[in-house]
Structures are given as structure tokens and as C-alpha cells.
Amino acid sequence: MLFHVRMDVNLPQTMPENQATALKKTEKDIAQGLQESGKWRHLWRIAGQYANISVFDVSSVDELHTLISTLPLFPYMQIQIMPLCRHPSSIRSNDA
């Protein structure tokens, strides 16, 4: 199942810089591992914002929830999720 996910990150201004840096590094490591596994298909930054648009390829809504909710920055995110399905006018026969 494919999901379009928008994640807006809002770290507290009072968070110590070293804590924010450590969270971001751990987040990056996890995100890159999920991309390598094929679960996190696409990751696009939204220009001028601390936000991204991502496409996840997971077996269920529960798996998506588990992946997202275990990200280190999850407590600081506002998340919007849209399930995706093939459009009948698409010229592509697969998701490659």
C-alpha cells in the first residue's frame, strides 16, 4: 500500500542545540535505513520549510503508524496521511 505523508517538524525553541542535533542525526539514520529497505520510497523537502513530503510503501496502515510513530522527531511532528491508489488514466503499469 502506498501512502503520501506530509510531515511538518516543530522543535521547541527551548530545546538545547545538542539535543536537537542528536535527534536529527538519529532521525536521518532511521530514514535512510527505511529508504534502503524500500519502505520509505520517496523523501522530498518542502522548500523554505522544516517539512517533507514522503511516499511510504507498507503492507498496512498499522505498519505505517508503527514506522512513523517510532521516528525520533515524531513527538514534534504534525502529520497528514493520504492513502494512494493507481489512477485509471496512468500510463504506468507499476510503481517503479
Side-chain angles (χ1 to χ4, degrees), residues 45-92:
R45 172 174 285 162
I46 300 173
Q49 299 178 37
Y50 192 5
N52 73 72
I53 297 291
S54 296
V55 175
F56 285 85
D57 187 358
V58 293
S59 61
S60 68
V61 175
D62 289 331
E63 182 181 9
L64 178 65
H65 176 76
T66 299
L67 290 178
I68 292 173
S69 65
T70 56
L71 293 172
L73 292 175
F74 176 77
Y76 310 102
M77 290 181 185
Q78 180 178 4
I79 300 169
Q80 298 172 345
I81 298 172
M82 291 183 282
L84 301 173
C85 58
R86 177 147 323 280
H87 193 284
S89 297
S90 175
I91 64 169
R92 308 266 186 262

Side-chain angles (χ1 to χ4, degrees), residues 23-36:
L23 276 174
K24 292 174 190 178
K25 182 188 181 324
T26 305
E27 181 90 8
K28 180 178 180 179
D29 293 343
I30 292 169
Q32 289 180 341
L34 289 169
Q35 289 173 76
E36 289 169 358

Side-chain angles (χ1 to χ4, degrees), residues 10-21 23 76:
N10 298 298
L11 293 177
Q13 291 183 357
T14 57
M15 180 180 284
E17 186 64 32
N18 61 336
Q19 181 183 356
T21 299
L23 276 174
Y76 310 102

